[in-house]
Amino acid sequence: EVQLVESGGGLVQPGGSLRLSCAASRFVFSDYAMSWVRQAPGKGLEWVSTISSDGTKTSYVDSVKGRFTISRDNAKNTLYLQMDSLTPDDTAVYSCAIPETYDSRNYYRVGQGAPVTVSS
């Protein structure tokens, strides 16, 4: 069974940074585009970013452009999300996900997620 395990979440002050990791296993990681999605308290699932299978193409929701960076290490089967200049609006549970295609917002699998709280 496909496994996606996120880590690196926590409490951070506004303006701070966090780096999330997603350890992937039981599928050929390098064959798939990967995404980060988030769910804020009381809200629906929101797409955050996607990276192509080879890491050469990335895309971001407008609200995080210039602040978040998605990357991957196919040798380590790991996906990353570097989050800088965090604001309280970024508070959410962040999950990695396997999109059906690079441009799709439908997912084969979504991980359990790592909570991120931005508060002073």
Side-chain angles (χ1 to χ4, degrees):
E1 181 179 339
V2 167
Q3 288 196 339
L4 301 170
V5 180
E6 300 88 347
S7 61
L11 173 64
V12 62
Q13 292 188 338
S17 298
L18 279 176
R19 188 195 197 202
L20 303 181
S21 299
C22 169
S25 60
R26 301 184 183 177
F27 69 105
V28 184
F29 182 72
S30 59
D31 281 354
Y32 290 87
M34 293 294 296
S35 296
W36 285 99
V37 297
R38 66 185 179 184
Q39 187 160 20
K43 296 189 177 180
L45 197 66
E46 178 187 32
W47 169 75
V48 175
S49 181
T50 296
I51 188 167
S52 60
S53 59
D54 62 0
T56 59
K57 187 166 63 170
T58 59
S59 54
Y60 300 90
V61 67
D62 285 348
S63 60
V64 308
K65 280 181 183 176
R67 301 189 298 121
F68 289 13
T69 304
I70 190 171
S71 61
R72 66 191 295 160
D73 186 335
N74 284 347
K76 295 182 178 179
N77 289 350
T78 303
L79 178 72
Y80 303 100
L81 186 68
Q82 177 67 41
M83 305 186 293
D84 299 320
S85 303
L86 286 160
T87 75
D89 286 343
D90 296 316
T91 295
V93 175
Y94 285 74
S95 301
C96 58
I98 309 171
E100 292 179 350
T101 65
Y102 178 85
D103 294 312
S104 175
R105 301 295 179 259
N106 296 318
Y107 306 101
Y108 290 126
R109 183 64 60 93
V110 180
Q112 295 269 25
V116 171
T117 302
V118 184
S119 174
S120 55

